[in-house]
Amino acid sequence: MNHFEHDVQSKNNDVKDSLLAMGTGFGAFAAIYIIAQIFDLLAK
């Protein structure tokens, strides 16, 4: 074993973390878009 890897802080899979971050960002932008569309429909 590499001597730098004795006590790693995070043992999470990078792919899972990347997908979580991408999903969170997409969800936030989708929420902003949906809220804007609702306000646009209510303003008409």
Side-chain angles (χ1 to χ4, degrees):
M1 178 188 256
N2 188 344
H3 68 279
F4 291 111
E5 295 178 358
H6 285 299
D7 189 22
V8 294
Q9 292 180 354
S10 177
K11 294 182 177 12
N12 290 344
N13 189 352
D14 290 337
V15 174
K16 290 180 185 177
D17 290 339
S18 298
L19 289 174
L20 178 64
M22 189 174 71
T24 303
F26 177 78
F29 283 115
I32 291 170
Y33 177 78
I34 290 168
I35 291 169
Q37 291 299 315
I38 290 171
F39 276 117
D40 187 46
L41 288 173
L42 293 175
K44 290 183 179 179

